[in-house]
Amino acid sequence: MRRLRSVLTILLVLLALAAGAWWAFQRFVGELALNLEPATLQQHLAERFPVRNCQLVLACVEFRAPQLSLPAGGDRLQLDTQLAVQAGGREFPGRAGLAGRLRYEQAAGAFYIDDLTVTDFALDGVPERYAALVRAHGPQAVQAALRDRPVYVIDTSTTAGALARWAVRDVRVADGRFRVSLLRWRD
């Protein structure tokens, strides 16, 4: 009986210590997160280009050499690309700037770019009707091409990666980095 009482006392003390540690962690840490540098995503993104889309009625558009950046004070990423429009048997070079948001899909453990809008657009020597067509439909062409192409995939071959895949709760831009919140107990 005395031994049972000692074991119960030890278990209660351990439970109280664990509860205190949990409370302190929630109170003072609040969030477990990691920061992804834009250069990390840039490397993975570059592997997925060029992106070619020929769904436009009169032209094909190829987006090349993506450059990813995080404008200060914003919550969107900036994607600048060179582009080439093939129309009427000719190729017209240009550039496009697109702003978008990073989205995380837990089942795949992958990050995608969504909600693209045009921030900059220029084509050299192209007739305005083609330029207007690319300006109007270009973001959808890139988004359609990137919809199923993740810009970053968590490496699940390690235990830490496999756990991280399921722990991601939020992705946002903060301090010039992508802040990936793994666990959050307070906002």
PDB file of all heavy atoms in Angstrom, residues 117-136:
ATOM      1  N   THR A 117      -1.653  38.321 -59.883  1.00  0.00           N
ATOM      2  CA  THR A 117      -2.092  39.541 -60.554  1.00  0.00           C
ATOM      3  C   THR A 117      -0.884  40.165 -61.249  1.00  0.00           C
ATOM      4  O   THR A 117       0.246  40.008 -60.812  1.00  0.00           O
ATOM      5  CB  THR A 117      -2.700  40.556 -59.573  1.00  0.00           C
ATOM      6  OG1 THR A 117      -1.721  40.870 -58.574  1.00  0.00           O
ATOM      7  CG2 THR A 117      -3.947  40.021 -58.906  1.00  0.00           C
ATOM      8  N   VAL A 118      -1.135  40.891 -62.340  1.00  0.00           N
ATOM      9  CA  VAL A 118      -0.066  41.527 -63.105  1.00  0.00           C
ATOM     10  C   VAL A 118       0.357  42.819 -62.420  1.00  0.00           C
ATOM     11  O   VAL A 118      -0.472  43.676 -62.118  1.00  0.00           O
ATOM     12  CB  VAL A 118      -0.527  41.836 -64.540  1.00  0.00           C
ATOM     13  CG1 VAL A 118       0.559  42.559 -65.324  1.00  0.00           C
ATOM     14  CG2 VAL A 118      -0.935  40.562 -65.255  1.00  0.00           C
ATOM     15  N   THR A 119       1.664  42.970 -62.178  1.00  0.00           N
ATOM     16  CA  THR A 119       2.208  44.214 -61.610  1.00  0.00           C
ATOM     17  C   THR A 119       3.057  44.973 -62.617  1.00  0.00           C
ATOM     18  O   THR A 119       3.275  46.165 -62.475  1.00  0.00           O
ATOM     19  CB  THR A 119       3.064  43.922 -60.358  1.00  0.00           C
ATOM     20  OG1 THR A 119       4.134  43.043 -60.731  1.00  0.00           O
ATOM     21  CG2 THR A 119       2.227  43.288 -59.258  1.00  0.00           C
ATOM     22  N   ASP A 120       3.549  44.274 -63.644  1.00  0.00           N
ATOM     23  CA  ASP A 120       4.391  44.888 -64.663  1.00  0.00           C
ATOM     24  C   ASP A 120       4.262  44.044 -65.918  1.00  0.00           C
ATOM     25  O   ASP A 120       4.157  42.814 -65.841  1.00  0.00           O
ATOM     26  CB  ASP A 120       5.852  44.917 -64.184  1.00  0.00           C
ATOM     27  CG  ASP A 120       6.787  45.538 -65.212  1.00  0.00           C
ATOM     28  OD1 ASP A 120       6.384  46.512 -65.884  1.00  0.00           O
ATOM     29  OD2 ASP A 120       7.922  45.033 -65.350  1.00  0.00           O
ATOM     30  N   PHE A 121       4.257  44.709 -67.090  1.00  0.00           N
ATOM     31  CA  PHE A 121       4.131  43.961 -68.325  1.00  0.00           C
ATOM     32  C   PHE A 121       4.685  44.781 -69.477  1.00  0.00           C
ATOM     33  O   PHE A 121       4.370  45.960 -69.609  1.00  0.00           O
ATOM     34  CB  PHE A 121       2.660  43.627 -68.599  1.00  0.00           C
ATOM     35  CG  PHE A 121       2.467  42.832 -69.855  1.00  0.00           C
ATOM     36  CD1 PHE A 121       2.649  41.464 -69.852  1.00  0.00           C
ATOM     37  CD2 PHE A 121       2.127  43.465 -71.042  1.00  0.00           C
ATOM     38  CE1 PHE A 121       2.491  40.734 -71.012  1.00  0.00           C
ATOM     39  CE2 PHE A 121       1.966  42.732 -72.196  1.00  0.00           C
ATOM     40  CZ  PHE A 121       2.146  41.370 -72.186  1.00  0.00           C
ATOM     41  N   ALA A 122       5.527  44.157 -70.294  1.00  0.00           N
ATOM     42  CA  ALA A 122       6.047  44.831 -71.483  1.00  0.00           C
ATOM     43  C   ALA A 122       6.423  43.792 -72.525  1.00  0.00           C
ATOM     44  O   ALA A 122       6.980  42.746 -72.202  1.00  0.00           O
ATOM     45  CB  ALA A 122       7.273  45.661 -71.131  1.00  0.00           C
ATOM     46  N   LEU A 123       6.085  44.088 -73.778  1.00  0.00           N
ATOM     47  CA  LEU A 123       6.472  43.259 -74.913  1.00  0.00           C
ATOM     48  C   LEU A 123       7.155  44.157 -75.933  1.00  0.00           C
ATOM     49  O   LEU A 123       6.719  45.286 -76.159  1.00  0.00           O
ATOM     50  CB  LEU A 123       5.258  42.602 -75.563  1.00  0.00           C
ATOM     51  CG  LEU A 123       4.674  41.392 -74.868  1.00  0.00           C
ATOM     52  CD1 LEU A 123       3.388  40.951 -75.552  1.00  0.00           C
ATOM     53  CD2 LEU A 123       5.665  40.248 -74.847  1.00  0.00           C
ATOM     54  N   ASP A 124       8.199  43.660 -76.556  1.00  0.00           N
ATOM     55  CA  ASP A 124       8.933  44.434 -77.551  1.00  0.00           C
ATOM     56  C   ASP A 124       8.434  44.107 -78.952  1.00  0.00           C
ATOM     57  O   ASP A 124       8.495  42.953 -79.378  1.00  0.00           O
ATOM     58  CB  ASP A 124      10.434  44.125 -77.464  1.00  0.00           C
ATOM     59  CG  ASP A 124      11.022  44.523 -76.116  1.00  0.00           C
ATOM     60  OD1 ASP A 124      10.492  45.468 -75.499  1.00  0.00           O
ATOM     61  OD2 ASP A 124      11.997  43.869 -75.694  1.00  0.00           O
ATOM     62  N   GLY A 125       7.942  45.118 -79.658  1.00  0.00           N
ATOM     63  CA  GLY A 125       7.578  44.993 -81.064  1.00  0.00           C
ATOM     64  C   GLY A 125       6.370  44.139 -81.359  1.00  0.00           C
ATOM     65  O   GLY A 125       6.178  43.726 -82.497  1.00  0.00           O
ATOM     66  N   VAL A 126       5.546  43.885 -80.383  1.00  0.00           N
ATOM     67  CA  VAL A 126       4.372  43.058 -80.621  1.00  0.00           C
ATOM     68  C   VAL A 126       3.158  43.953 -80.894  1.00  0.00           C
ATOM     69  O   VAL A 126       3.020  45.019 -80.291  1.00  0.00           O
ATOM     70  CB  VAL A 126       4.096  42.117 -79.414  1.00  0.00           C
ATOM     71  CG1 VAL A 126       3.601  42.870 -78.213  1.00  0.00           C
ATOM     72  CG2 VAL A 126       3.115  41.034 -79.770  1.00  0.00           C
ATOM     73  N   PRO A 127       2.313  43.552 -81.827  1.00  0.00           N
ATOM     74  CA  PRO A 127       1.090  44.328 -82.056  1.00  0.00           C
ATOM     75  C   PRO A 127       0.242  44.394 -80.779  1.00  0.00           C
ATOM     76  O   PRO A 127       0.206  43.439 -80.005  1.00  0.00           O
ATOM     77  CB  PRO A 127       0.362  43.538 -83.147  1.00  0.00           C
ATOM     78  CG  PRO A 127       1.443  42.740 -83.818  1.00  0.00           C
ATOM     79  CD  PRO A 127       2.451  42.439 -82.752  1.00  0.00           C
ATOM     80  N   GLU A 128      -0.429  45.504 -80.577  1.00  0.00           N
ATOM     81  CA  GLU A 128      -1.181  45.733 -79.337  1.00  0.00           C
ATOM     82  C   GLU A 128      -2.239  44.660 -79.088  1.00  0.00           C
ATOM     83  O   GLU A 128      -2.499  44.304 -77.950  1.00  0.00           O
ATOM     84  CB  GLU A 128      -1.824  47.122 -79.343  1.00  0.00           C
ATOM     85  CG  GLU A 128      -2.593  47.463 -78.077  1.00  0.00           C
ATOM     86  CD  GLU A 128      -1.793  47.279 -76.772  1.00  0.00           C
ATOM     87  OE1 GLU A 128      -0.584  47.582 -76.741  1.00  0.00           O
ATOM     88  OE2 GLU A 128      -2.396  46.828 -75.771  1.00  0.00           O
ATOM     89  N   ARG A 129      -2.829  44.113 -80.145  1.00  0.00           N
ATOM     90  CA  ARG A 129      -3.869  43.089 -79.910  1.00  0.00           C
ATOM     91  C   ARG A 129      -3.282  41.855 -79.225  1.00  0.00           C
ATOM     92  O   ARG A 129      -3.916  41.227 -78.404  1.00  0.00           O
ATOM     93  CB  ARG A 129      -4.582  42.728 -81.204  1.00  0.00           C
ATOM     94  CG  ARG A 129      -3.714  42.000 -82.194  1.00  0.00           C
ATOM     95  CD  ARG A 129      -4.486  41.597 -83.431  1.00  0.00           C
ATOM     96  NE  ARG A 129      -3.620  40.794 -84.264  1.00  0.00           N
ATOM     97  CZ  ARG A 129      -3.607  40.829 -85.555  1.00  0.00           C
ATOM     98  NH1 ARG A 129      -4.436  41.620 -86.193  1.00  0.00           N
ATOM     99  NH2 ARG A 129      -2.791  40.062 -86.231  1.00  0.00           N
ATOM    100  N   TYR A 130      -2.025  41.494 -79.568  1.00  0.00           N
ATOM    101  CA  TYR A 130      -1.377  40.375 -78.895  1.00  0.00           C
ATOM    102  C   TYR A 130      -0.987  40.757 -77.469  1.00  0.00           C
ATOM    103  O   TYR A 130      -1.122  39.970 -76.541  1.00  0.00           O
ATOM    104  CB  TYR A 130      -0.131  39.912 -79.648  1.00  0.00           C
ATOM    105  CG  TYR A 130      -0.417  39.305 -81.006  1.00  0.00           C
ATOM    106  CD1 TYR A 130       0.343  39.660 -82.105  1.00  0.00           C
ATOM    107  CD2 TYR A 130      -1.443  38.378 -81.194  1.00  0.00           C
ATOM    108  CE1 TYR A 130       0.095  39.111 -83.363  1.00  0.00           C
ATOM    109  CE2 TYR A 130      -1.696  37.833 -82.435  1.00  0.00           C
ATOM    110  CZ  TYR A 130      -0.920  38.202 -83.511  1.00  0.00           C
ATOM    111  OH  TYR A 130      -1.165  37.659 -84.739  1.00  0.00           O
ATOM    112  N   ALA A 131      -0.494  41.980 -77.306  1.00  0.00           N
ATOM    113  CA  ALA A 131      -0.098  42.449 -75.972  1.00  0.00           C
ATOM    114  C   ALA A 131      -1.299  42.460 -75.033  1.00  0.00           C
ATOM    115  O   ALA A 131      -1.204  42.030 -73.881  1.00  0.00           O
ATOM    116  CB  ALA A 131       0.536  43.838 -76.053  1.00  0.00           C
ATOM    117  N   ALA A 132      -2.428  42.953 -75.513  1.00  0.00           N
ATOM    118  CA  ALA A 132      -3.637  42.992 -74.687  1.00  0.00           C
ATOM    119  C   ALA A 132      -4.093  41.582 -74.326  1.00  0.00           C
ATOM    120  O   ALA A 132      -4.518  41.329 -73.199  1.00  0.00           O
ATOM    121  CB  ALA A 132      -4.750  43.740 -75.419  1.00  0.00           C
ATOM    122  N   LEU A 133      -3.977  40.670 -75.274  1.00  0.00           N
ATOM    123  CA  LEU A 133      -4.364  39.280 -75.035  1.00  0.00           C
ATOM    124  C   LEU A 133      -3.484  38.645 -73.959  1.00  0.00           C
ATOM    125  O   LEU A 133      -3.979  38.003 -73.019  1.00  0.00           O
ATOM    126  CB  LEU A 133      -4.259  38.495 -76.342  1.00  0.00           C
ATOM    127  CG  LEU A 133      -4.739  37.053 -76.341  1.00  0.00           C
ATOM    128  CD1 LEU A 133      -6.247  36.996 -76.152  1.00  0.00           C
ATOM    129  CD2 LEU A 133      -4.341  36.373 -77.639  1.00  0.00           C
ATOM    130  N   VAL A 134      -2.175  38.848 -74.067  1.00  0.00           N
ATOM    131  CA  VAL A 134      -1.254  38.279 -73.088  1.00  0.00           C
ATOM    132  C   VAL A 134      -1.439  38.945 -71.728  1.00  0.00           C
ATOM    133  O   VAL A 134      -1.433  38.282 -70.689  1.00  0.00           O
ATOM    134  CB  VAL A 134       0.209  38.406 -73.572  1.00  0.00           C
ATOM    135  CG1 VAL A 134       1.170  37.963 -72.485  1.00  0.00           C
ATOM    136  CG2 VAL A 134       0.410  37.572 -74.827  1.00  0.00           C
ATOM    137  N   ARG A 135      -1.624  40.259 -71.707  1.00  0.00           N
ATOM    138  CA  ARG A 135      -1.831  40.985 -70.453  1.00  0.00           C
ATOM    139  C   ARG A 135      -3.097  40.490 -69.752  1.00  0.00           C
ATOM    140  O   ARG A 135      -3.123  40.305 -68.539  1.00  0.00           O
ATOM    141  CB  ARG A 135      -1.937  42.484 -70.736  1.00  0.00           C
ATOM    142  CG  ARG A 135      -1.923  43.337 -69.480  1.00  0.00           C
ATOM    143  CD  ARG A 135      -2.003  44.838 -69.800  1.00  0.00           C
ATOM    144  NE  ARG A 135      -0.872  45.290 -70.586  1.00  0.00           N
ATOM    145  CZ  ARG A 135      -0.958  45.759 -71.844  1.00  0.00           C
ATOM    146  NH1 ARG A 135      -2.115  45.826 -72.460  1.00  0.00           N
ATOM    147  NH2 ARG A 135       0.121  46.145 -72.480  1.00  0.00           N
ATOM    148  N   ALA A 136      -4.139  40.252 -70.533  1.00  0.00           N
ATOM    149  CA  ALA A 136      -5.417  39.829 -69.950  1.00  0.00           C
ATOM    150  C   ALA A 136      -5.399  38.374 -69.495  1.00  0.00           C
ATOM    151  O   ALA A 136      -5.978  38.035 -68.464  1.00  0.00           O
ATOM    152  CB  ALA A 136      -6.545  40.041 -70.959  1.00  0.00           C
TER     153      ALA A 136
END
